[in-house]
Amino acid sequence: MVKRIGVLTGGGDCPGLNAVLRAVVKTAMGKYGYEVIGFRDGYRGLVMNNYIQFKPGDVSGILDKGGTILGTSNRDNPFKFRVERGGKVDYVDMSDRVIDNLYALGIDCMVLIGGDGTLTSARDFARMGVNVVGVPKTIDNDLSATDTTFGFMTAVDTATDAIDKLHSTAESHHRVMILEVMGRYAGWIALASGVAGGADVILIPEIPYDINKVCDKIKERSAAGKHFSIVVVAEGAKSIDGDLVVCKVVKDSPDPIRLGGIGNRIAEDIERIACIETRVTVLGHLQRGGRPVPYDRILSTRYGVRAVELVNEGKFGMMVGLQGDSITAVSLEDAVGKLKSVPPDGELVQIAKSVGVGFGN
Ligand code: F6P
């Protein structure tokens, strides 16, 4: 019988994490009478035994707060944990230590909230016999076993707001305005915000672009009397003959590639080929911060409650997800390691094309 559960938030932060924590703690303590231990800073807290014991009031007033009250880290993989000894860096498998810590604390089950990296480690702990339930988080919306991850809609809201603001200045100055958004190797944020904000060109990793076709679209608009254009580009977009643009490589991270810089590259190309003044806005971590929109608060709450119900039903090794209107549970074995990309012939791309959006192809 479950008496005590642990919870952590891992990977990059995202709006809605606190809403999940609130739902987990309230349901676990209020409905089922479990004790809840929260580990600080993702898997680092589990390895270093850094935790708090939740009291009911600890999750009051956090539903609308961005970030995570537990802290997080996208650098710490418990199976390849960075350790510095005598000035030398080593990567050590700390999974046995984690299991010892869980045993010593009397934790019957862990609720692990994170993206693909965090959930891959969750699957690996499940394989070692640890009772785990996963909750899918990421603004990128790139996890295949769920229609939507929480945090995505807030990022789309932020990006759409930026497009709305760029429109007026683009029009006043007769410029091309480029908005570079996040999303890693998937174009969901760019596509959704581009459609919502009425972008003229949307460039995503799933549809490699030809810069000449991008410029043709902009020139076509000028010829029709529209002397400004809005281009939304995903950080992972690439040209038909180019590579990903990488801003830096973080050596000790499970995912060392940090994307960024494609917006500036496109701006130079547009000024050179189409001869129109161009400016770039890189939205960056603004997409990860701030208050979750109501959709994400609701989804986070549904995920958090369902995760605890799975614990109560003894259904471990599972991840909660959204399929259509229903909250589902899928095996972590099936859920991780599969990138959910934008289908180039999918409905949203076709809709965008129908209203005149160019994809540079
Ligand atoms: O996965 C979420 C995300 O925000 C990506 O969209 C982005 O590429 C990456 O994380 C940025 O990571 P960091 O916070 O380490 O710069």
Side-chain angles (χ1 to χ4, degrees), residues 14 17 20 112-116 119 133-139 143-151 299-300 303-304 307 318-322 328 330 332 335:
C14 117
L17 282 168
V20 180
L112 300 162
I113 308 164
D116 196 59
L119 296 171
V133 171
V135 180
K137 159 248 67 156
T138 169
I139 62 163
L143 296 181
S144 66
T146 182
D147 289 353
T148 314
T149 51
F150 71 85
L299 185 61
S300 299
Y303 279 171
M318 310 294 278
M319 182 191 91
V320 298
L322 181 74
T328 54
V330 281
L332 277 166

Side-chain angles (χ1 to χ4, degrees), residues 12 74 138-140 182-184 189 235 258-259 285 288:
N74 58 3
T138 169
I139 62 163
D140 304 338
M182 284 183 167
R184 226 184 274 273
I189 300 176
E235 62 182 355
R258 294 291 179 273
L259 298 171
H285 290 79
R288 292 238 302 260

Side-chain angles (χ1 to χ4, degrees), residues 46-69:
L46 210 46
V47 171
M48 307 305 281
N49 222 14
N50 185 2
Y51 63 87
I52 55 162
Q53 168 139 13
F54 276 110
K55 298 184 288 318
D58 290 344
V59 293
S60 292
I62 65 167
L63 179 60
D64 63 336
K65 302 279 182 296
T68 158
I69 56 167

